[in-house]
């Protein structure tokens, strides 16, 4: 494919190289420390000296090992993914994350959400997990004596509302913390589903471990600023139910993008007005069927 010179004369071409690792470290560290500025000095030092470098290292590893070919066409990773990891890290609060060990565990979780959630095969995830663990030993070993225990855990993080936050609590329901009691989280999801089922008249839905992990991923995306997620898989009601339950748990209005172009455009105006003027949280579901 080639452009004719007559057509090319109508445009201006710009080439923008990726920043060097040192420049990238400076940019990401500056952004990260705007959030971690209220943390202890040792935490700020850990973020700038180890965690940012580890994130850059993992990003380069992913780009080298996982190429966008064939059925893996969506394996496209850019600098925005580094920012996505740090955006997840910025959900840490001094109440729940007061040590390098707790931040390392969160960092592992965020790297898995940003990078490995796109993988379509178990072997890809296993390769990524091994290299992610290697990065932990390389960059974090001096910050915690029990790094083996940290990397061996498969912690899930979720908003407090998913963990049975009591009504009237002084804590924000969207605050992020590790899920220590999976059974309690299952009960919360089951209770919310029963409430939702009565109002929406849905078919019975079994709360399994993999369904809970999907809900934690969805609530994570829904509680992030401009959060979004692509839910790949076969068509079916379970996928829509998982999205609906996640929105219901968070008290967010769920709207569908189906309809004609004109209807969709009018709906977009309404959603933007509700979100922008009335600070109303809205989840828009766009399906390809």
């Amino acid at each position: 494919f080639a452009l004719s010179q007559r057509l090319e004369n109508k445009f201006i071409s710009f080439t923008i190289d990726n920043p060097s690792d040192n420049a990238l470290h400076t940019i990401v560290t500056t952004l990260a420390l705007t959030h971690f500025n209220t943390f202890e000095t040792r935490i700020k030092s850990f973020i700038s000296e180890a965690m940012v470098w580890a994130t850059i290292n993992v990003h380069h590893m992913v780009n080298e090992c996982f190429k966008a070919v064939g059925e893996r066409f969506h394996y496209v990773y850019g600098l925005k993914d580094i920012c996505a990891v740090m955006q997840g890290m910025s959900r840490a609060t001094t109440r729940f994350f007061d040590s390098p060990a707790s931040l390392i565990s969160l960092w592992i979780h965020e790297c898995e959400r940003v990078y490995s959630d796109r993988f379509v095969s178990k072997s890809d995830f296993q390769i990524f997990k091994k290299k992610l663990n290697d990065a932990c030993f390389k960059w974090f070993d001096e910050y915690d004596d029990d790094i083996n225990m940290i990397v061996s855990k498969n912690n899930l993080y979720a908003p407090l509302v998913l963990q049975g936050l009591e009504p009237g609590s002084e804590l924000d329901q969207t605050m992020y913390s590790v899920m220590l009691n999976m059974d309690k989280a299952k009960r919360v999801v089951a209770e919310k589903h029963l409430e939702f089922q009565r109002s929406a008249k849905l078919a019975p839905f079994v709360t399994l471990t993999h369904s809970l992990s999907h809900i934690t991923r969805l609530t994570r995306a829904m509680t992030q600023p401009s959060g979004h997620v692509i839910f790949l898989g076969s068509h079916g009601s379970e996928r829509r139910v998982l999205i609906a339950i996640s929105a219901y748990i968070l008290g967010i209005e769920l709207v569908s993008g189906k309809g004609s172009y004109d209807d969709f455009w009018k709906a977009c105006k309404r959603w933007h007005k509700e979100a922008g003027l009335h600070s109303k949280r809205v989840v828009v579901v766009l399906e390809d069927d």
Side-chain angles (χ1 to χ4, degrees), residues 121-177:
S121 71
K122 190 174 181 179
S123 60
D124 285 348
F125 177 77
Q126 290 172 341
I127 294 171
F128 172 81
K129 187 66 175 177
K130 181 182 182 304
K131 291 185 177 293
L132 184 65
N133 291 347
D134 292 342
C136 288
F137 286 109
K138 177 181 178 180
W139 294 100
F140 305 144
D141 195 36
E142 64 179 279
Y143 291 93
D144 196 280
D145 296 332
D146 205 0
I147 194 72
N148 277 297
M149 185 183 71
I150 297 174
V151 300
S152 64
K153 291 182 178 180
N154 292 316
N155 287 330
L156 279 176
Y157 288 78
L160 292 180
V161 66
L162 202 62
Q163 305 181 50
L165 179 66
E166 296 297 331
S169 173
E170 62 179 9
L171 299 176
D172 184 351
Q173 67 172 3
T174 62
M175 288 180 71
Y176 217 40
S177 76

Side-chain angles (χ1 to χ4, degrees), residues 58-71:
V58 168
H59 179 75
H60 290 329
M61 175 273 293
V62 170
N63 275 319
E64 291 173 4
C65 297
F66 304 100
K67 304 296 184 181
V69 294
E71 65 178 5

Side-chain angles (χ1 to χ4, degrees), residues 27 37 73 88 120 128 146 157 168 184 194 202 214 227 240 248:
I27 295 169
N37 192 44
F73 65 92
V120 295
F128 172 81
D146 205 0
Y157 288 78
K184 186 175 183 179
L194 287 175
L202 295 174
H214 283 319
R240 287 188 286 271
Y248 182 79

Side-chain angles (χ1 to χ4, degrees), residues 36-245:
F36 288 99
N37 192 44
T38 58
F39 284 65
E40 296 179 4
T41 302
R42 64 178 182 135
I43 297 296
K44 291 188 285 188
S45 175
F46 167 71
I47 293 294
S48 61
E49 295 177 7
M51 186 157 287
V52 173
W53 280 120
T55 307
I56 295 171
N57 180 267
V58 168
H59 179 75
H60 290 329
M61 175 273 293
V62 170
N63 275 319
E64 291 173 4
C65 297
F66 304 100
K67 304 296 184 181
V69 294
E71 65 178 5
R72 294 166 171 78
F73 65 92
H74 57 288
Y75 282 21
V76 180
Y77 301 97
L79 298 182
K80 61 181 177 58
D81 295 300
I82 296 179
C83 294
V85 173
M86 300 314 297
Q87 182 186 35
M89 294 301 302
S90 69
R91 303 188 68 172
T93 58
T94 54
R95 186 183 185 99
F96 298 110
F97 301 90
D98 57 356
S99 67
S102 60
L103 289 171
I104 292 170
S105 181
L106 176 61
W107 179 81
I108 292 172
H109 175 268
E110 292 304 309
C111 285
E112 290 178 351
R113 297 291 74 76
V114 172
Y115 293 106
S116 65
D117 274 358
R118 301 186 201 179
F119 295 158
V120 295
S121 71
K122 190 174 181 179
S123 60
D124 285 348
F125 177 77
Q126 290 172 341
I127 294 171
F128 172 81
K129 187 66 175 177
K130 181 182 182 304
K131 291 185 177 293
L132 184 65
N133 291 347
D134 292 342
C136 288
F137 286 109
K138 177 181 178 180
W139 294 100
F140 305 144
D141 195 36
E142 64 179 279
Y143 291 93
D144 196 280
D145 296 332
D146 205 0
I147 194 72
N148 277 297
M149 185 183 71
I150 297 174
V151 300
S152 64
K153 291 182 178 180
N154 292 316
N155 287 330
L156 279 176
Y157 288 78
L160 292 180
V161 66
L162 202 62
Q163 305 181 50
L165 179 66
E166 296 297 331
S169 173
E170 62 179 9
L171 299 176
D172 184 351
Q173 67 172 3
T174 62
M175 288 180 71
Y176 217 40
S177 76
V178 65
M179 296 183 67
L180 298 175
N181 192 331
M182 296 295 288
D183 291 332
K184 186 175 183 179
K186 290 179 184 178
R187 289 196 299 271
V188 170
V189 172
E191 291 170 1
K192 290 293 184 180
H193 173 256
L194 287 175
E195 294 177 13
F196 180 74
Q197 184 181 346
R198 294 190 188 101
S199 60
K201 298 180 180 179
L202 295 174
F205 170 74
V206 180
T207 306
L208 302 174
T209 301
H210 74 276
S211 298
L212 182 61
S213 67
H214 283 319
I215 290 174
T216 59
R217 287 164 167 80
L218 290 167
T219 53
R220 170 185 174 273
M222 291 178 184
T223 52
Q224 282 185 329
S226 302
H228 58 278
V229 63
I230 298 178
F231 208 163
L232 299 175
S234 58
H235 301 299
S237 60
E238 184 176 356
R239 183 171 59 177
R240 287 188 286 271
V241 169
L242 288 170
I243 296 172
I245 291 175

